[in-house]
Amino acid sequence: MAPLASAKVTLSYPLYASDFDPQSNNFLLVGGGGGEGRTGVGNKITLVDTSRKQIISEAVEINLSTDEDSVTSLAVASSSPSSLIAFAGINSSEKDLNAGRNEHFRSFRLEFPPRKGPDGKDGNVGSPQTFKGQTAPLGRASLFKPSAASKKETYQRITRLSRPCKINGGQLGAIATGLAPEGEIVLFDAKTSGPMGPWVEARISLGKGEAADIDIIGLDDNEDVPPGSFAVAYCSDYVVHAFNMTLKQEKPPEPQYAYSEPHPDASSQSKSRSKFRSLRFITPNLLVVLQNRPNRQGADLLLLELSPHLQGRILNRKRLHSGINSATALSVTHLPSSGPSQLSQHIIAVAGQDTSISIFTLEHPSKPPFKSLNLRLYTLLKSVHPSQITSLSFSSFSALPEPHKSTFTQYIKLASTSIANTVVVYTLPLRPYPPPSSKSTKQRHVLASPGWSESAQFAFSIIMAFVAIALGMLLLQTYSEIRGVAPGYLGAKSWLSQHVQEFIAPPHDHSNDANIASIPTLIASDSSSSAATAISSFTDQVSSSSSSLKDHATRTLSNVRDAVTDSSSNLRDQATGTLSKIKDAVTDSPKDAKEAIASALDAASAAASELSDASAAYSAKASSTVSSATSSVSSAASSTVSSASSTISSTASHRYNHIRDLLSRHHKHRRHATSVLDSHIPHMIIRHDEETGGLETGFHREGAGKAAKKFEELSKREKEIWKEKLQETGVWAKAEGEAVLKGVFFGGVAQAVGRAVG
């Protein structure tokens, strides 16, 4: 959607109220001020020229007394080609309030130049002009009951007027108190306003509560009520009341309890309730209600249907966007239908505390039953003002007699004011519906073309979600069938063109088939060569270690023998010398013989001990040498065996991993195959070798595997036997599933395989 045309003007005072001229969208009345005191900010009412889209300007300005309060509410009662009459709520001075006098109800006449006709020209070219028309106060009056409170703070918070009645031109007005000890609503005849104020039709006492908002609508098309009747609805913080009345009726109206905000559940953590902020009639039986959630947690729009007995029920609830903590203003306008029984559209605007404006459209019938009403967001205007928005006002709309013949665009204007002295006016373009291309003579103007109801949109979303899921599953199944990884339930290969199949699954290149077929032989050759090399290396290392051990043992034993021989020779020499000494001693002197014998015995004992120590030392040396040699041989043998085992294991692992690669490549061939090339694709076969008990793998083309069966052709028992053998050899794991074995041929006697497994 293109950005909406807007215009902005900044006045000299804060603004609190606004209303459009009911006969045209070219003039907007705004009011506000700094209140009583010496703030330097005046109290004023200004008529703003809004005839241009991009520029708005002040046309007429009324300077009010600074000794009185500012304008708190206003409404345009009627207008003519030369002037308009407005009602405003302005409190008297503090001195008068303390004296018990508060002429809060004021009326004014403002003159302006002739407005533009309905030719669609809105003067975008040229500079804005300021019109200096005559302004005059018409009267002032006190309509509220005097307050007995010591502090006089009651003011006219709300001023609301109905549209003039079609039958007798009657117009009903209502005002409500603010900050009053006891709240009050005063209903009056808006056509009788004079110097002493209007004729009061009825008073409604609210007790300690106050009215949050009031609205009035005429009952011109309702045959069940007297002519010139009006429907009135007002809301307090938690309750909505409604009633019907006529001008000059004898009995006062009796407000009916229409709807109440329910209390939270006993289990709820928060005991606070949402509060009603504002309401407007859509039809005499349908209200739109603005509600703020507790603790500034957001705001909602409610559609409240009123029964003939004025009992209400919620038809729809729409939460405003998350940026709104609380709503501050509400305004609606009606775009008429093309016939009494046709649908019509209302435009609803809501202002938030974040200075945003949400614009909704509501398509609805003029009478009950109201089914599937949907508040559709038209646009969200963000940061419209620099500070809080205080009022919203839609211009009125009068359809041309024959909208299908109009050649220019018609507009609705939305004005907003703020306490930052700013006025912003948006221009909303309308469109004929049905469009002119339909050549329908029953056309009406709408802001947005009517869409589906909320339930219809939800159902359509669910249906589209299922369609998207089904389409995705269809495409996935088609892709899987062409790739060969799923059964042909759809028969995609038969109804998809060759070009599409080649795009999804490019044809397989057969130039490497010969190399692939020779892979098992190369694997076996490489495996045998590696194993033979490992065993030869092991034998050489063991032979070398045995020779080293033999040499070590021979040298050690020779050393031990030499050591023992040397020790024996020494012992013999010592014994000979000792015996010679004994012999000489016996010869020389028998007395010394005893000593010589004792000495010889000591020497012999020492020699024997020395011989024993020498033998033990050399024996230990020999044992250590032999142990060292044995350890060396054992370590060398272990290293060689480990190396050989690693080589063989690596070779075997490589072989089995390669067998799984072959399975993968085989399925890849099948996926890339087409119906034309199927007969040229080599098929994988696994055979059982009865001599070695192992498995042989390879590929064969058509006719080479007649003695073999595909896995899916095997019996249940044969499948189990083959799966056990494949798991035992590491070729296949149970977690891989049987799908990987489909299409693989198995040769050999299954019973032999079973015996091998057993």
Side-chain angles (χ1 to χ4, degrees), residues 95-168:
K95 179 180 179 180
D96 290 340
L97 291 177
N98 293 331
R101 297 188 301 273
N102 183 13
E103 298 175 325
H104 55 83
F105 188 88
R106 313 289 177 92
S107 58
F108 301 90
R109 181 188 300 274
L110 294 87
E111 293 184 355
F112 45 76
R115 61 178 58 84
K116 297 181 183 298
D119 57 357
K121 297 180 181 179
D122 33 31
N124 288 325
V125 181
S127 60
Q129 302 177 8
T130 300
F131 309 108
K132 297 181 179 179
Q134 297 292 325
T135 63
L138 297 180
R140 56 174 61 197
S142 177
L143 302 184
F144 296 136
K145 290 182 178 180
S147 173
S150 58
K151 190 174 183 180
K152 314 295 185 180
E153 295 180 325
T154 302
Y155 71 99
Q156 186 176 317
R157 182 170 177 263
I158 299 170
T159 303
R160 189 82 66 232
L161 302 175
S162 72
R163 286 179 174 272
C165 182
K166 295 179 182 179
I167 296 176
N168 54 18

Side-chain angles (χ1 to χ4, degrees), residues 25-139:
N25 59 13
N26 292 331
F27 293 102
L28 172 71
L29 192 67
V30 298
E36 182 180 358
R38 299 171 181 171
T39 60
V41 179
N43 302 316
K44 300 180 181 181
I45 295 177
T46 304
L47 186 67
V48 180
D49 181 3
T50 59
S51 60
R52 296 170 175 82
K53 291 182 183 180
Q54 308 295 340
I55 301 174
I56 58 176
S57 58
E58 301 173 50
V60 178
E61 187 171 84
I62 301 177
N63 290 302
L64 304 174
S65 172
T66 57
D67 294 332
E68 296 183 327
D69 201 0
S70 63
V71 178
T72 56
S73 62
L74 64 81
V76 178
S78 61
S79 65
S80 66
S82 60
S83 64
L84 62 78
I85 295 176
F87 298 148
I90 304 172
N91 266 11
S92 298
S93 65
E94 185 175 359
K95 179 180 179 180
D96 290 340
L97 291 177
N98 293 331
R101 297 188 301 273
N102 183 13
E103 298 175 325
H104 55 83
F105 188 88
R106 313 289 177 92
S107 58
F108 301 90
R109 181 188 300 274
L110 294 87
E111 293 184 355
F112 45 76
R115 61 178 58 84
K116 297 181 183 298
D119 57 357
K121 297 180 181 179
D122 33 31
N124 288 325
V125 181
S127 60
Q129 302 177 8
T130 300
F131 309 108
K132 297 181 179 179
Q134 297 292 325
T135 63
L138 297 180

Side-chain angles (χ1 to χ4, degrees), residues 464-541:
M464 290 306 298
F466 277 112
V467 169
I469 293 172
L471 182 60
M473 295 175 64
L474 177 65
L475 294 176
L476 180 61
Q477 177 66 21
T478 302
Y479 177 83
S480 301
E481 288 186 15
I482 295 175
R483 285 291 185 181
V485 296
Y489 296 122
L490 301 178
K493 288 187 177 181
S494 62
W495 50 266
L496 280 179
S497 66
Q498 187 70 22
H499 176 72
V500 174
Q501 293 188 46
E502 290 179 359
F503 176 78
I504 298 176
H508 173 62
D509 184 5
H510 297 275
S511 59
N512 293 325
D513 284 354
N515 295 333
I516 295 174
S518 65
I519 287 177
T521 305
L522 295 176
I523 292 174
S525 176
D526 292 344
S527 301
S528 300
S529 176
S530 299
T533 302
I535 293 171
S536 176
S537 175
F538 173 73
T539 304
D540 292 342
Q541 292 189 30

Side-chain angles (χ1 to χ4, degrees), residues 230-268:
F230 298 90
V232 181
Y234 67 91
C235 62
S236 59
D237 286 344
Y238 306 112
V239 182
V240 176
H241 290 87
F243 59 91
N244 297 334
M245 67 171 292
T246 60
L247 296 175
K248 306 295 188 296
Q249 71 178 22
E250 296 180 0
K251 294 182 179 181
E254 298 180 0
Q256 301 294 317
Y257 175 93
Y259 180 79
S260 175
E261 178 64 18
H263 288 272
D265 296 335
S267 59
S268 177

Side-chain angles (χ1 to χ4, degrees), residues 533-553:
T533 302
I535 293 171
S536 176
S537 175
F538 173 73
T539 304
D540 292 342
Q541 292 189 30
V542 170
S543 298
S544 176
S545 298
S546 300
S547 299
S548 298
L549 178 61
K550 182 178 179 181
D551 293 342
H552 278 289

